[in-house]
Amino acid sequence: MVEGDRLGLSRNDGSDDDPKCKISRAARNVVPSSLPIHDQTYNGICANFESFLNYDHAKADIQRASDLLVSVSACADVHKKKIIDLAVAASEELRLMAQEREPLWLFDVDKGSEVLNVSEYRRRFVSLDPTLEEIIRVITEGEPADLPTLNDKIECCSSENACMSSYRTTNVESEASRAIGVVFSNPVSLVNMFMDVDKWSATFSNIVSDAKILGVLSTGNQENPNGTLQVMVAEFHVPSPLVKTREIYFVRCSRQIDIDTWVVADVSLETIFPSPAVTCQRKPSGCVIQVLQDGLSTVTWVEHNAECNSVVNYMFRGILKSGFAFSAKRWVSSLERECDRLATLEAENECFNYLLTNNKGLGAARTGLLKLAQRMVRQFNSNICSNVESVWRPLPVPGAEEILIKTSFNLDNPQIPRGVAVTIATSVWLPVKQNDVFSFLQTEYNRTKWDVLSHGLEIQDVIRMSSARNSTDCVSVVSVEASSSRREITYLQESFNDSTAFYIVYAPVDVPAMHHILQGGCADSVAILPSGFAVLPEGSPGEDAATANTILTIGFQIMDEQLTTPEKLPPQSVLTAYRLMKETVSRIWTALLPKSDNASGVITIK
């Protein structure tokens, strides 16, 4: 088998030159000699890997979600009023926080964004402990009263107390920020998107791993969603499988303040349904949406979380502590990008150039490419960037514990290649600036420097559509020339940033399928399996260049034609995936740090 067959296009005709990736056969193929796998390593994998993937997928179910759903539905009379009061108080607090300026919000020059003045927030919005309030009242008014004992149960009230964090320990860190953006959408459409859990999680796929509605307490309608209130659970992620997701149970409500203003507010339910397992609480967060002009809205986003310090991979401590991992600016940037995409897709005139440039002459092909790229990015975020512990497993190779692997099986989804797919991902630290890493990986002509399949071949940038709002956001079609051992490969690639992380996502597409799309054909039935990169700063984005470092998340998805079930993965397949990851990281390191001591040898992935 030739080298090009390890990762390519799906033709499914069974021919010898079919470049669909075949992991098991690829394991016998060309692998750089600088990445040796000793016999004892191979034997260890053979002995231990058979049961590696024998886990029950049912364990991935969220047990507490079921408990909460039962609690909300069975005890509606007991909890419904408390939840409604909590949601109303949260929406009012959010409205005030979105409108306030100094001293509540201070501009942090180093971070380039607004941050919350915590002492002012506590003075304005956080009520004192009931016992302390009673002591103060006795002192000031001189009236004796029965003080509550430590064993008394304090009921959740329907005022601002309801929004108060239940955390009272020194291990809790507050994350609060505010950002403002302008989006191509009207307020009602935005509110409907936020209240539709599938559309919301798809819009913010770079942040939201999974989301469910556990109960609906009140509903509006499509024309007027005012008063919609629902109990939800969601997992939020940093783009790396090495970082655990944040699971939060919260209530979301939508309120129309006046004819031009809406509020969509979230607040955690731990004050009503306490749980010792909760590590993150969502204080009143969300957005205030105001009409700017026909088809345009101003969105003021407030993101406010209380995070309990937990064990975090050492590489990500800086960015999590900085608050940028889940900043309001990241949410707004993601919303702007998605609304730009939707407005472009809905535009009948291909010269909709204030949203998209370099797209003249594409005609109907523009729609197909953008829709396929949108699906590609969402699949990448879902399959590679998030961490669900019941799915990912550390690679059973000595020294490669932070390389994670999983398998998936598709039988009837026409948008994913049929069969068993192997996904391998990790994050590595690079002493290089974030912008430099992104620029290197985004440039198509650099593909030959890191892609083992493109080495020595000519790369052609066939099509490029760039965002008028952000020049780093673009969708392109890249062609890799045919060689004596394989046919031509085309890649669909999208690169973008969400103010915190840069992304480069790509997927091989059959040449006939790409021609079909470029001629205006529908892309819904085109099967893709995306791979790519997420480039994060080690600390705050835009940090001092002299000390700036980067965390690079790398993820590959490869079809294994030899497998019929995802429960067992042969050692040969594991070795091939491991070698692919090691070689890719080594090539990137060599290209970006040619004078580094690690450039010529085997690097260590930690």
Side-chain angles (χ1 to χ4, degrees), residues 188-388:
V188 173
S189 296
L190 288 174
V191 173
N192 284 328
M193 180 274 292
F194 281 110
M195 306 311 292
D196 184 318
V197 67
D198 293 329
K199 291 181 179 179
W200 173 67
S201 56
T203 297
F204 299 101
S205 66
N206 57 319
I207 304 174
V208 181
S209 303
D210 189 29
K212 299 176 184 177
I213 294 178
L214 303 179
V216 178
L217 302 186
S218 65
T219 59
N221 55 60
Q222 198 72 12
E223 291 75 25
N224 185 8
N226 182 37
T228 302
L229 192 146
Q230 54 201 30
V231 175
M232 304 173 63
V233 59
E235 293 183 56
F236 304 92
H237 71 265
V238 173
S240 172
L242 299 181
V243 182
K244 292 182 180 180
T245 57
R246 292 181 174 182
E247 184 183 60
I248 303 178
Y249 294 84
F250 59 95
V251 57
R252 171 170 293 174
C253 72
S254 61
R255 285 179 57 199
Q256 185 173 15
I257 304 303
D258 55 48
I259 191 172
D260 292 331
T261 307
W262 289 76
V263 173
V264 178
D266 300 344
V267 64
S268 285
L269 290 171
E270 275 67 39
T271 54
I272 299 176
F273 303 102
S275 170
V278 172
T279 61
C280 182
Q281 185 177 19
R282 193 163 176 78
K283 291 190 175 184
S285 300
C287 59
V288 175
I289 308 167
Q290 295 176 296
V291 173
L292 187 61
Q293 64 183 58
D294 187 28
L296 288 175
S297 300
T298 299
V299 177
T300 302
W301 197 289
V302 174
E303 190 66 15
H304 193 186
N305 299 300
E307 170 68 12
C308 182
N309 289 341
S310 55
V311 178
V312 177
N313 185 285
Y314 66 95
M315 285 187 289
F316 296 90
R317 291 171 186 165
I319 188 171
L320 289 172
K321 188 175 182 179
S322 72
F324 276 96
F326 298 98
S327 66
K329 193 174 181 180
R330 188 180 178 207
W331 287 91
V332 169
S333 177
S334 302
L335 181 61
E336 288 176 335
R337 176 175 164 272
E338 182 67 14
C339 288
D340 286 356
R341 176 70 57 86
L342 293 176
T344 303
L345 291 173
E346 294 171 359
E348 296 180 359
N349 186 349
E350 71 171 54
C351 297
F352 204 53
N353 285 327
Y354 55 93
L355 292 182
L356 200 64
T357 61
N358 307 325
N359 68 328
K360 290 186 178 180
L362 288 179
R366 176 195 62 177
T367 298
L369 289 173
L370 291 178
K371 285 186 175 181
L372 186 59
Q374 184 180 54
R375 171 156 60 93
M376 175 182 70
V377 170
R378 290 173 178 175
Q379 187 180 339
F380 174 81
N381 285 323
S382 174
N383 291 352
I384 292 177
C385 285
S386 63
N387 180 330
V388 179

Side-chain angles (χ1 to χ4, degrees), residues 37 39 70 86 93 107 135 151 166 181 204 235 291 345 359 365 523-524 561 584 586:
I37 300 293
D39 291 340
V70 171
L86 182 69
E93 178 176 315
F107 187 80
I135 292 174
N151 295 323
S166 62
F204 299 101
E235 293 183 56
V291 173
L345 291 173
N359 68 328
D524 291 346
E561 290 186 332
T584 302
S586 181

Side-chain angles (χ1 to χ4, degrees), residues 571-592:
Q572 288 280 19
S573 298
V574 179
L575 293 179
T576 300
Y578 171 69
R579 287 165 171 165
L580 174 62
M581 180 64 73
K582 291 281 285 186
E583 176 65 6
T584 302
V585 174
S586 181
R587 286 172 176 263
I588 292 173
W589 187 285
T590 300
L592 293 173

Side-chain angles (χ1 to χ4, degrees), residues 1 23-31 572 576 579:
M1 176 186 159
I23 289 187
S24 297
R25 277 182 278 170
R28 303 191 297 269
N29 238 327
V30 179
V31 177
Q572 288 280 19
T576 300
R579 287 165 171 165

